[in-house]
């Protein structure tokens, strides 16, 4: 997978930009608040996904403007060149929301592009994969799966909509005539979607876990072992039964207590939960291992290595881990941001500077 060209207009603090990334490394340096992460965010949005910063669409539009536009020429072995254009319009604009064009033709919602351009972001907030909530880890798995299997997003959306509907039924149960029959109908559909989510997530973890374990071994010289385990509250084929058995608990709680929206990804070091037992350094190694595993797995599944977006992570790693990361991304297209350009003196790549939203040769 290669990004050949990126053109931006009115994206966050970037009035306009025209980026020709290198085939391998592109380094963007600049002081804080200049627009480095904004640029990576724009590249990421070409995947069709929402911002990795959790930003709402209107926040992406440059203040005072109606539209932000991101255009990318991408190249993949199996399709050759494609031209993606994503537009984000304000609510008041003639074209609100995040929409896409592919090779000049309307493609509807940006999320319809999922799977075409693939990227993996690694940023300081990823430490939350270890320290954060199960929700954060589910989001990681789901975001990766959306890029790998275009149909997965539809399944997820359908499942979440059903959960929202069932939750509101549980809340107003007494006032709803025929509540039990309605709930049976929701459960039947939830079981179908939920089993599919479980199947995809479990298969993803089967692929990811050994790769992450091996990466961790390499980073830590085998001093401890990283294991990833998908924790799901029901067995394959058992969701319908679990939902039926949870009916009373659900009614008492007033929300759905069972299903893949409660799953977790367990991270352990030598059999102990990384969240409580790992040092800061070990947690960073774990996240680095997982992110590199995500990229390698995507390459295995799709036949195209995703573009690597490394936002401000090098300064957080010690020299040995910096070296490991930079060695691993060699020969893969990688865009790195950093405040300090001295980390890259020896590196061969495209060097750029970001200053007040303006990109220039560094
Ligand atoms: N919608 C927007 N319109 C204009 N400026 C924005 C918008 N969103 C963010 N910014 C500005 O972008 C800057 C942050 O850019 P960022 O890419 O996070 O910096 P860094 O170089 O540290 O990664 C801030 O100055 C912020 O005010
Ligand atoms: Mg930043």
């Amino acid at each position: 997978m290669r990004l050949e060209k990126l053109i931006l207009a009115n994206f966050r603090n970037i009035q306009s930009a025209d980026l020709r990334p290198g085939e391998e490394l592109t380094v963007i340096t600049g002081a804080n608040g200049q627009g480095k992460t904004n640029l990576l965010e724009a590249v990421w949005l070409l995947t069709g996904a929402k911002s990795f910063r959790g930003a709402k669409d209107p926040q992406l539009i440059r203040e005072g403007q109606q539209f932000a536009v991101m255009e990318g020429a991408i190249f993949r072995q199996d399709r050759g060149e494609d031209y993606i254009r994503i537009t984000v319009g304000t609510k008041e604009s003639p074209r609100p929301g995040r929409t896409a064009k592919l090779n000049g033709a309307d493609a509807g919602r940006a999320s319809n592009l999922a799977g075409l351009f693939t990227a993996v972001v690694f940023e300081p907030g990823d430490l939350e994969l270890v320290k954060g909530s199960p929700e954060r880890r589910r989001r990681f798995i789901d975001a990766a799966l959306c890029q790998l299997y275009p149909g997965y997003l539809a399944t997820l959306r359908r499942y979440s909509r059903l959960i929202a509907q069932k939750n509101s039924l549980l809340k107003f149960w007494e006032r709803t005539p025929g509540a039990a029959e309605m709930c049976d109908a929701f459960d039947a559909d939830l079981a179908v979607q939920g089993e599919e989510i479980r199947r995809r997530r479990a298969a993803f973890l089967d692929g990811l876990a050994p790769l992450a374990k091996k990466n961790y071994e390499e980073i830590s010289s085998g001093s401890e072992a990283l294991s990833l385990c998908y924790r799901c509250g029901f067995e394959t084929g058992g969701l319908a039964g679990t939902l039926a058995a949870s009916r009373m608990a659900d009614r008492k709680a007033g929300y759905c207590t069972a299903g893949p929206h409660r799953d977790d990804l367990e991270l352990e070091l030598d059999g102990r939960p990384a969240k409580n037992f790992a040092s800061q350094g070990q947690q960073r190694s774990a996240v680095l291992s997982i992110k590199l595993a995500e990229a390698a797995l995507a390459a295995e599944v799709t036949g195209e290595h995703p573009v690597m977006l490394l936002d401000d992570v090098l300064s957080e790693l010690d020299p040995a881990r910096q070296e490991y990361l930079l060695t691993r991304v060699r020969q893969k297209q990688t865009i790195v941001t950093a405040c300090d350009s001295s980390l890259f003196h020896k590196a061969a790549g495209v060097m750029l500077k970001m200053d007040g939203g303006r990109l220039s040769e560094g």
Side-chain angles (χ1 to χ4, degrees), residues 50-263:
K50 285 190 276 194
S51 163
F52 62 77
R53 297 167 134 180
K56 298 254 185 315
D57 290 342
Q59 295 170 264
L60 306 172
I61 305 163
R62 188 160 186 255
E63 266 160 34
Q65 300 294 317
Q66 276 199 316
F67 295 104
V69 182
M70 295 135 263
E71 292 178 89
I74 64 163
F75 181 88
R76 358 187 325 167
Q77 296 295 340
D78 59 342
R79 293 177 56 100
E81 196 177 62
D82 280 301
Y83 211 82
I84 296 174
R85 181 188 164 99
I86 308 255
T87 305
V88 189
T90 59
K91 271 204 191 81
E92 299 72 31
S93 74
R95 206 173 176 191
R98 198 157 37 86
T99 53
K101 278 190 175 181
L102 178 58
N103 300 320
D106 248 313
R109 283 205 272 187
S111 59
N112 292 342
L113 294 185
L116 183 64
F117 173 69
T118 55
V120 166
V121 193
F122 181 23
E123 47 121 5
D126 286 332
L127 214 49
E128 288 296 304
L129 268 178
V130 179
K131 298 198 294 192
S133 64
E135 200 265 330
R136 176 68 182 74
R137 285 181 287 279
R138 286 193 296 271
R139 200 147 33 85
F140 159 70
I141 302 174
D142 289 339
L145 283 169
C146 283
Q147 289 197 39
L148 298 183
Y149 306 102
Y152 186 75
L153 179 62
T155 308
L156 263 188
R157 283 207 176 123
R158 180 147 184 190
Y159 181 83
S160 321
R161 212 169 32 237
L162 285 162
I163 289 289
Q165 289 169 330
K166 184 173 161 183
N167 281 344
S168 95
L169 173 64
L170 288 164
K171 214 161 136 199
F172 301 108
W173 188 276
E174 306 298 342
R175 281 191 252 159
T176 312
E181 291 73 25
M182 269 171 85
C183 201
D184 290 344
F186 285 145
D187 281 359
D189 207 356
L190 276 171
V192 175
Q193 312 306 324
E195 292 281 354
E196 173 64 6
I197 293 170
R198 186 207 147 93
R199 187 177 73 79
R200 286 288 189 203
R201 286 180 180 167
F204 178 72
L205 260 298
D206 281 348
L208 192 77
L211 296 171
K213 183 173 197 281
K214 183 161 169 291
N215 292 342
Y216 193 93
E217 248 167 54
E218 287 170 9
I219 298 169
S220 67
S221 319
S223 57
E224 62 272 323
L226 171 68
S227 58
L228 269 58
C229 187
Y230 177 53
R231 289 273 173 249
C232 181
F234 60 95
E235 297 298 324
T236 299
L239 183 55
T242 304
L243 290 174
S246 313
R247 181 72 56 93
M248 281 323 288
D250 287 358
R251 286 191 51 190
K252 219 166 158 183
Y255 58 85
C256 309
T257 59
H261 62 294
R262 313 274 291 189
D263 290 352

Side-chain angles (χ1 to χ4, degrees), residues 270-290:
D270 280 346
R272 297 160 131 194
K275 193 174 185 162
N276 309 325
F277 289 100
S279 70
Q280 191 86 345
Q282 288 170 329
Q283 293 184 354
R284 290 218 163 94
S285 296
V287 175
L288 176 56
S289 306
I290 294 170

Side-chain angles (χ1 to χ4, degrees), residues 37 53 311-312:
T37 303
R53 297 167 134 180
D311 191 21
D312 235 351

Side-chain angles (χ1 to χ4, degrees), residues 2-7 18-28 39 43 73 117 307 309 333-335 349-352 359:
R2 215 165 66 229
L3 177 67
E4 297 181 322
K5 189 163 82 173
L6 176 76
I7 296 177
D18 183 343
L19 169 70
R20 314 280 157 134
E23 292 211 355
E24 294 181 20
L25 191 64
T26 301
V27 178
I28 297 162
L39 190 88
V43 175
F117 173 69
V307 174
L309 306 173
Q333 193 181 34
T334 305
I335 310 179
V350 174
M351 304 291 285
L352 298 168
L359 208 51

